[in-house]
Amino acid sequence: MRLFSALIATIALNCLPAWGAVAEPQPDACEVPASFLESEIDLTRASDELKDKHRLDISVLGTGSSSLPGPDGAQFAYPARLEDALKQQLPGNEIKVTAHVQPKQITANMLGGLDKILAEDHPSLVIWQAGTSDAINGVETEDFRSSLENGVERIQNAGADVILMNMQYSPRTGSMLDVSAYADVMRHVAQQRNALLFDRLAIMQYWNDNGTFDLYAATKKYDMAREVHECIGRALASQIINAGHLDAVRMQTTR
């Protein structure tokens, strides 16, 4: 129990935001190799909504790492930063990103409110961040797989594309929590269920290894959480535009 509590505390500290002004990362600070964002899966439903209606409705299903604490945390978390990035890159279109954050919830429990979210939001794209709480709570990987497959099927049957987002990379907690098996499950489910994978784990490790962010020292640099979320939002926007082949839409609306 003490180890579990210490692990939760460490993860929480790694996600602390700054309370003062934060300088926006420079474009090259958010660089992600193209291979991290490539996929053979097309976001056809999101693309059709944007082309036919000039709007894009996105729902984000997440746990604690999809948010930032504090009264202004939501505007600095990656769902809001994704919306802002898409609005900048797809001018002339209505972009709406609605975040549904359920802290500490395992994937199976997140399924309970899924149908209501789909019915109310009418998204053409759902970004589902999962895995961390399942790993912390020791959920069997086969149970985790079953819950993911169930949710992806329900989302697709409701008429939306799916992006699965895996865990954050944290060198401080890696020795206490091995998430690799859950990350492998998410990759497999994405491949088998015709969904995209946003490999947040690999992207953040790339940033750490290349000196973009010192994630080991994140607890002492409180502005880093906001900067990471900003860059995650930008990378997500790039993946959506690439997989939805939305460059043509961008060109049409800017003429």
Side-chain angles (χ1 to χ4, degrees):
M1 180 62 70
R2 289 182 178 178
L3 176 61
F4 180 82
S5 299
L7 180 60
I8 294 292
T10 303
I11 292 173
L13 283 171
N14 277 336
C15 296
L16 281 175
W19 300 113
V22 178
E24 184 173 303
Q26 296 301 311
D28 57 351
C30 296
E31 178 186 1
V32 177
S35 59
F36 284 91
L37 303 177
E38 291 175 350
S39 175
E40 297 179 357
I41 305 300
D42 293 334
L43 298 178
T44 56
R45 291 157 175 171
S47 176
D48 288 344
E49 182 184 44
L50 198 63
K51 292 174 181 177
D52 296 341
K53 302 178 181 179
H54 297 290
R55 65 176 292 131
L56 180 57
D57 292 281
I58 301 173
S59 295
V60 174
L61 311 180
T63 54
S65 64
S66 292
S67 64
L68 288 171
D72 57 353
Q75 66 179 303
F76 291 103
Y78 76 76
R81 306 325 304 147
L82 167 64
E83 180 176 286
D84 186 67
L86 287 173
K87 286 179 176 178
Q88 290 182 26
Q89 297 186 56
L90 298 169
N93 298 283
E94 184 177 351
I95 310 294
K96 182 179 180 181
V97 178
T98 304
H100 301 272
V101 179
Q102 303 177 50
K104 302 181 182 180
Q105 292 297 305
I106 64 173
T107 301
N109 292 344
M110 296 174 73
L111 295 176
L114 180 58
D115 292 338
K116 183 174 184 290
I117 290 171
L118 295 171
E120 292 180 352
D121 290 0
H122 300 290
S124 60
L125 173 62
V126 174
I127 300 169
W128 191 1
Q129 175 264 309
T132 304
S133 294
D134 295 84
I136 291 173
N137 286 277
V139 174
E140 293 292 333
T141 53
E142 284 305 309
D143 292 336
F144 176 56
R145 180 196 304 272
S146 178
S147 297
L148 270 182
E149 290 178 338
N150 184 341
V152 169
E153 182 177 8
R154 286 158 65 178
I155 292 167
Q156 292 174 334
N157 287 342
D161 293 318
V162 182
I163 295 178
L164 295 179
M165 177 190 290
N166 60 20
M167 314 79 182
Q168 295 187 105
Y169 172 72
S170 173
R172 294 179 63 87
T173 60
S175 61
M176 293 186 286
L177 181 67
D178 184 5
V179 299
S180 59
Y182 299 88
D184 289 343
V185 167
M186 296 189 74
R187 185 177 301 279
H188 180 76
V189 170
Q191 292 172 343
Q192 295 298 313
R193 296 289 173 168
N194 205 43
L196 272 176
L197 176 71
F198 182 81
D199 198 348
R200 180 172 59 163
L201 184 66
I203 289 172
M204 290 181 65
Q205 183 171 359
Y206 171 83
W207 285 335
N208 182 75
D209 292 348
N210 283 271
T212 301
F213 298 109
D214 181 359
L215 297 177
Y216 190 86
T219 54
K220 296 181 180 179
K221 298 180 179 179
Y222 295 117
D223 60 341
M224 188 174 299
R226 290 183 177 181
E227 294 178 3
V228 170
H229 275 250
E230 174 73 33
C231 289
I232 290 292
R234 293 186 190 182
L236 265 172
S238 295
Q239 186 180 49
I240 291 168
I241 288 172
N242 292 340
H245 305 287
L246 301 180
D247 282 330
V249 175
R250 179 165 52 194
M251 291 176 63
Q252 290 173 3
T253 56
T254 55
R255 287 176 180 173

